[in-house]
Amino acid sequence: MGDNAKFSINGENYEYPVLTGTEGPDVVDIRKLYGQTGAFTYDPGFTSTASCESELTFIDGSEGVLLHRGYPIEQLAENSSFMEVAHLLLRGELPTADEFSDFNNTITRHTMVHEQLRGFYQGFRRDAHPMAIMCGVVGALSAFYHDSTDINDPAQRMIASHRLVAKMPTIAAMAYKYSIGQPFVYPDNDLSYTGNFLRMTFGVPAEEYEVNPAIEKAMDRIFILHADHEQNASTSTVRLAGSSGANPFACIAAGIACLWGPAHGGANEAALNMLHEIGHPDRIPEYIKRAKDKDDPFRLMGFGHRVYKNYDPRASVMQETVREVFETLKVKDPVFEVALQLEEMALNDPYFIDKKLFPNVDFYSGIILSAIGFPTSMFTVLFALARTVGWVAQWNEMISDPGQRIGRPRQLYTGPTKRDYVPIDKR
Ligand code: SDX
């Protein structure tokens, strides 16, 4: 811990402790500031605010570094599996072979959903956005799993966490099947987590479904890239919902709702739609011009990030995965060429250089997902599927913190000062 931070207001001087983590910026502990000074801090987008202490994930935005429990995302994407990363996030360490087998079996045995849950899908129009279905069905899980909603029981918290990680692929695949009018496909416990998801999504009861190992590996890597990411908007939503004591299923449903926004997880769907709208490299300058125009609300979707002021390391891995998937499927997609040229032109444009706007995780993901066969409406569902393990790991970390309290920010009030009621005949 370094010297105290010195602060003066209304002619009084105050000192607040400076806390140092294992990586990243120091923090000024201002928990006593309001009680001592009568003033609040003001940080609407939380650009300078640390909301919690966490051991899960660290991002160095200027260096383009992303670590999960200390392991670089590039190494995990290259050498690990989503189930291994899930174990790492939930239990703190990469598993031994026996620990992996035990964890994988536990998750595998929770992949089925309550049979009555299937009825929820019938209430949606066939053209309902799958994210609307995810918000509803995941929130409804709390009506089925009362035996794992006591958040003060670590065993129940872990069962709920396993259930959520295990059932998201099933629920997501069912949302897709419902939207295309095909029957739901039950989980197959002989398949990997990701292979099982691909079969539930693209398999049909009328014939055998062979998981393509190269696509399974690419999909699994995409899940790894989306697993967790510090205190992003949806994770902060899960933490805030959880801080009131809400059950984990309700908290994850809140996270799904927040992720849906185009500025956050919805950007992967918006980015591919943008690339299709651009359509040809010749039209890129027109869109770059619009993105720079203050009077035009258009932004390059898949570009920019609150934390990364260098290249998002996930985008690099994603771009490499596009090439591998195209090679495997022997497909070419002109949209990839548009994306590559758009990136090249943007990264050489002073506007993007000065504002440190680089491609983020959402810029290339849609191209791969589209090549694998997912409709754009499923892209954010896949993001939510993968991020669920990060959300539950962050939620567990918060609930098990003895100092945990309900989150309740204050405000700068600029509304009318006190005034008396005026009867309607006097207005
Ligand atoms: C994710 O937080 C996370 O970790 C999120 C995430 C995760 O894994 O959880 O990484 C996943 O959400 C990735 C981001 C996906 N969103 C998009 O791709 C949407 C497009 N990008 C933006 O809307 C924006 O960049 C944000 C929302 C990502 C970040 O917004 P900030 O940090 O609030 O930055 P800002 O909006 O204040 O922008 C700073 C400046 C502005 O110009 P000035 O007002 O300073 O003149 O950069 C400009 C913006 O106009 N700008 C862009 C731009 N993004 C920012 N200009 C054109 N195109 C863009 N994409």
Side-chain angles (χ1 to χ4, degrees), residues 12-173:
E12 297 288 330
N13 297 316
Y14 304 88
E15 292 199 12
Y16 295 99
V18 175
L19 309 180
T20 300
T22 48
E23 291 271 10
D26 289 347
V27 301
V28 180
D29 182 347
I30 56 162
R31 281 175 284 189
K32 294 187 175 138
L33 183 138
Y34 174 58
Q36 291 174 352
T37 71
F40 299 138
T41 59
Y42 185 66
D43 186 14
F46 309 124
T47 47
S48 304
T49 296
S51 60
C52 64
E53 182 179 331
S54 180
E55 301 174 357
L56 285 163
T57 294
F58 171 70
I59 301 169
D60 181 331
S62 55
E63 298 301 319
V65 169
L66 168 56
L67 308 177
H68 288 316
R69 303 267 197 194
Y71 294 100
I73 190 66
E74 297 87 346
Q75 293 184 29
L76 293 172
E78 180 65 29
N79 305 306
S80 189
S81 68
F82 182 68
M83 272 299 99
E84 256 203 359
V85 172
H87 183 284
L88 174 66
L89 288 169
L90 279 172
R91 302 192 178 172
E93 295 296 340
L94 287 171
T96 62
D98 288 345
E99 288 166 339
F100 179 77
S101 171
D102 171 58
F103 180 74
N104 193 52
N105 289 335
T106 299
I107 297 298
T108 300
R109 303 189 70 75
H110 279 86
T111 49
M112 279 181 30
V113 293
H114 192 292
E115 194 66 6
Q116 268 186 265
L117 206 71
R118 297 160 67 94
F120 272 85
Y121 291 78
Q122 309 311 327
F124 289 97
R125 288 170 43 137
R126 288 282 177 185
D127 61 354
H129 195 291
M131 281 298 278
I133 297 177
M134 296 301 288
C135 291
V137 173
V138 172
L141 289 177
S142 48
F144 289 85
Y145 297 110
H146 296 289
D147 61 341
S148 60
T149 51
D150 175 1
I151 61 164
N152 299 307
D153 177 351
Q156 289 198 30
R157 288 207 302 271
M158 203 39 80
I159 293 169
S161 302
H162 292 157
R163 278 174 163 155
L164 281 158
V165 171
K167 295 180 195 306
M168 283 299 274
T170 311
I171 292 168

Side-chain angles (χ1 to χ4, degrees), residues 46 240 407-411:
F46 309 124
L240 197 56
R408 206 285 187 205
R410 303 302 300 271
Q411 64 179 12

Side-chain angles (χ1 to χ4, degrees), residues 229 263-264 294 299-300 302-303 305-306 314 355 387:
H229 213 240
H264 190 15
K294 277 270 152 269
R299 286 192 166 185
L300 285 186
F303 260 79
H305 199 277
R306 170 62 56 76
R314 302 168 298 174
K355 293 183 186 296
R387 184 54 57 89

